[in-house]
Amino acid sequence: MFHLNGRCIYLVGMMGSGKSTVGKILAEVLGYSFFDSDNLVEQAVGMSSVAQIFKIHSEAFFRENESNVLRDLSSMRRLVVATGGGAVIRPINWNYMKKGLSVWLDVPLDALAKRIAQVGTASRPLLDQPSDDPYTAAFTKLSMLAEQRVEACANADARVS
């Protein structure tokens, strides 16, 4: 706690890595407030889900609003923030997150695909595609996303595997 000195903690990682689940627990343990950046974007644009934002506007629109949310949060203290899985791909977001401590929740793709296949892909617009085999579809798409994002995730201050 002494070393944090009130700085925010930003959890990064692939979708399904447990950022929201871990974030809530971590915030409670530290006596911090918890925020999920996806939920804040939904509130900011007045829509009920990330999937709806992607469908009606675009991924680019969502990412711009996500950056605005991270900018606003970066001026606060004593927060644990679960970022969206793609937040790491925009360099500006790292400028905001580097004001605090960033932690990469690194989960094997196989485990991510199993988690996502179990709960479904409807709330995950980059994965929501009809498929006879949800696991294989999720694994294939996650593999592609990981290629784009893993290097960016490595910018985090700490990595938890």
Side-chain angles (χ1 to χ4, degrees):
M1 284 291 292
F2 175 76
H3 296 291
L4 285 174
N5 198 27
R7 290 187 304 157
C8 295
I9 299 172
Y10 297 91
L11 301 177
V12 301
M14 295 291 290
M15 62 181 84
S17 62
K19 298 180 298 286
S20 294
T21 301
V22 170
K24 290 173 188 172
I25 295 166
L26 185 59
E28 186 174 331
V29 167
L30 295 174
Y32 276 31
S33 297
F34 171 77
F35 288 98
D36 182 308
S37 66
D38 285 352
N39 292 343
L40 293 175
V41 172
E42 291 165 358
Q43 291 172 14
V45 302
M47 299 187 116
S48 62
S49 71
V50 173
Q52 184 183 34
I53 296 168
F54 271 54
K55 184 177 180 179
I56 293 175
H57 295 286
S58 66
E59 181 178 0
F61 176 86
F62 173 82
R63 297 285 171 222
E64 187 62 33
N65 280 278
E66 179 179 56
S67 293
N68 293 340
V69 162
L70 290 172
R71 180 199 62 220
D72 294 347
L73 292 173
S74 73
S75 67
M76 299 178 189
R77 298 183 47 78
R78 300 179 55 83
L79 304 178
V80 175
V81 179
T83 66
V88 297
I89 61 176
R90 296 190 82 194
I92 189 69
N93 293 343
W94 284 105
N95 291 344
Y96 304 137
M97 292 188 289
K98 287 298 182 182
K99 293 180 180 180
L101 176 72
S102 55
V103 179
W104 175 18
L105 301 183
D106 185 15
V107 177
L109 292 178
D110 179 56
L112 294 176
K114 285 178 184 171
R115 290 178 188 176
I116 291 168
Q118 284 179 339
V119 298
T121 58
S123 67
R124 304 194 183 271
L126 294 178
L127 295 183
D128 193 25
Q129 303 161 1
S131 173
D132 292 335
D133 181 8
Y135 168 82
T136 301
F139 186 86
T140 301
K141 184 64 176 179
L142 285 167
S143 296
M144 187 186 78
L145 289 171
E147 283 183 29
Q148 299 168 357
R149 297 177 179 178
V150 166
E151 190 176 311
C153 286
N155 288 314
D157 299 309
R159 177 180 177 181
V160 179
S161 295

